[in-house]
Amino acid sequence: MFAPNSQSPGLPKRIWGWARRRFPAMLSSALRGAAYAAGAGIVGLMFWWIQHKL
């Protein structure tokens, strides 16, 4: 097998660094998705309510 290189960080450290650098973008995407889902749900409930009232 290969000998570990003391210069390169381990895989968990690299993954953690990648996630930490991209956390704001991931959070923004999650919040945007939640907002779209909530909006679609509200609109769907409004149309359901209107159809049942007619």
Side-chain angles (χ1 to χ4, degrees):
M1 237 31 231
F2 297 105
N5 187 354
S6 62
Q7 300 263 339
S8 66
L11 183 61
K13 191 179 245 186
R14 288 191 331 221
I15 291 172
W16 178 249
W18 177 88
R20 191 178 56 217
R21 285 189 304 272
R22 285 160 180 80
F23 181 76
M26 291 187 289
L27 182 61
S28 173
S29 294
L31 288 174
R32 186 181 314 129
Y36 284 146
I42 290 170
V43 169
L45 284 174
M46 284 174 37
F47 276 99
W48 175 81
W49 183 75
I50 290 169
Q51 285 179 345
H52 279 67
K53 289 294 178 182
L54 293 179

